[in-house]
Amino acid sequence: MCSFLAKRDASFCMMQQKSATLTSHDTQNEFIQIASEMVMKEIIKEIEANGFFTLVVDEARSYKSEQMTVCVRYTHNMEIQEGFLGFVDCSEGTDAESLHDHIKKFMDEHGISKLPVVGQCYDGAAVMAGKVNGVQQRMRQDHPSAIYIHCMVHKLNLVLVEACKVNRVASGFFCVMESLYTFFSQPGTHHAFLQMQKQLGVKAELSALSDTRWVCRWHNMSAVKNSFKSIMATLAEFSVPPYCRFTEASGLLHSVGKLEFCVCLIVFSHALRIIHVASQALQKTDTTLAQASSVLQASIQRLQKMRKNWEEMWREILTFL
């Protein structure tokens, strides 16, 4: 753009040749702001043409502030669209009344508050989903047709979290997995781990576990499975003095070397791969309730098939060992 303007404006050309690069943070932020406003106006224009929309809101802590994301779901040319409108700083209050006021103010500022809201999608937290004083109930006072939908992927995650909490073996296994990530995330051990992977000809990065994003657990499971020999070799190297954390390394080596851990690793890698496919399908823009139901039913059938084919999985465990 600068080269184009310099060809047609002599004064701009002289300024550019001297020192102006237009790459200062103020200029870049202004460009980004202008671009975001143009995109937002286009999304709002499509919403207005559609005549109604669904509101999708989530919140998360960003450094020391609480940020709320506001998205919309609508149809354009008979195709389902999802658009991100912006962030809202809600650090001053995260109760239902404050969050509802933030959402309402945001909608007023962008001129979409008068359009019918036919759906609202949040997580299952009481402050959002409460039937008496939750955000969804307060929203229905202004938009009676706004049906509340609990995020389908979030519901799936909650089921997995609770199912694993009540099982001693599963809880212990994931504690070891978290400890492995913590141990190998340190600069010294991480470098040694990468060097061991290089020697053995493998490459896999461990990641932190999360209760709200089980996809990362499946990725972490695959990483541990693919680099199991490097993990064992690195732990054995660090499990003797004078390394300062040799006790921790020795304990991890003992836990990871157990048959119970290897069985869990193979079983959960298969189970979480099935759940990963379901999770990805539920997050598609054009997923409907009927399709979501079909995906979950298919996942249940595949998990049941795993149970019936236990002998085949046991052979895989023995081969892995």
Side-chain angles (χ1 to χ4, degrees), residues 30-76:
E30 187 177 353
F31 286 157
I32 294 170
Q33 182 65 31
I34 292 170
S36 70
E37 289 174 358
M38 292 174 66
V39 172
M40 189 180 299
K41 286 178 181 178
E42 189 65 27
I43 292 173
I44 292 173
K45 186 168 42 171
E46 290 179 355
I47 295 172
E48 291 173 341
N50 186 64
F52 56 87
F53 66 97
T54 292
L55 190 66
V56 183
V57 175
D58 196 11
E59 56 174 312
R61 182 164 295 175
S62 174
Y63 186 49
K64 292 183 179 180
S65 64
E66 196 78 16
Q67 295 282 347
M68 181 166 60
T69 61
V70 181
C71 303
V72 287
R73 183 177 168 93
Y74 59 98
T75 58
H76 178 64

Side-chain angles (χ1 to χ4, degrees), residues 296-312:
L296 294 176
Q297 287 298 326
S299 300
I300 291 171
Q301 291 173 5
R302 292 182 66 186
L303 290 170
Q304 290 172 340
K305 188 177 179 181
M306 271 183 59
R307 181 177 293 176
K308 293 178 181 178
N309 296 338
W310 170 249
E311 291 183 2
E312 182 180 334

Side-chain angles (χ1 to χ4, degrees), residues 174-184 209 245 248 252:
F174 284 114
C175 281
V176 175
M177 291 289 288
E178 185 66 45
S179 298
L180 279 175
Y181 167 75
T182 303
F183 183 81
F184 285 112
L209 304 186
R245 295 169 62 195
E248 182 183 354
L252 278 174

Side-chain angles (χ1 to χ4, degrees), residues 146-298:
I147 299 171
Y148 165 64
I149 301 168
H150 184 175
C151 173
M152 292 182 287
V153 179
H154 186 256
K155 289 174 73 173
L156 177 61
N157 282 326
L158 290 177
V159 170
L160 295 171
V161 169
E162 294 304 317
C164 289
K165 278 183 179 178
V166 299
N167 186 284
R168 180 190 61 81
V169 176
S171 295
F173 170 71
F174 284 114
C175 281
V176 175
M177 291 289 288
E178 185 66 45
S179 298
L180 279 175
Y181 167 75
T182 303
F183 183 81
F184 285 112
S185 63
Q186 302 298 319
T189 51
H190 184 66
H191 178 72
F193 179 52
L194 293 179
Q195 290 297 111
M196 187 63 69
Q197 283 187 331
K198 191 174 181 180
Q199 290 178 21
L200 298 175
V202 295
K203 186 176 181 181
E205 191 71 31
L206 303 187
S207 57
L209 304 186
S210 169
D211 280 349
T212 56
R213 296 188 180 276
W214 272 68
V215 173
C216 70
R217 298 198 176 215
W218 177 69
H219 289 311
N220 204 37
M221 208 84 58
S222 300
V224 172
K225 186 179 174 182
N226 295 332
S227 60
F228 189 75
K229 289 182 179 179
S230 354
I231 289 173
M232 294 292 286
T234 309
L235 287 174
E237 182 180 322
F238 282 98
S239 62
V240 293
Y243 178 60
C244 58
R245 295 169 62 195
F246 76 91
T247 307
E248 182 183 354
S250 180
L252 278 174
L253 181 64
H254 176 72
S255 299
V256 173
K258 284 184 176 180
L259 175 62
E260 184 179 275
F261 180 86
C262 296
V263 171
C264 287
L265 184 63
I266 301 300
V267 171
F268 275 111
S269 65
H270 281 279
L272 291 183
R273 183 170 64 235
I274 295 171
I275 292 164
H276 170 67
V277 173
S279 178
Q280 293 295 101
L282 292 175
Q283 293 182 75
K284 287 184 177 179
T285 304
D286 57 353
T287 298
T288 63
L289 287 174
Q291 290 171 337
S293 178
S294 298
V295 166
L296 294 176
Q297 287 298 326

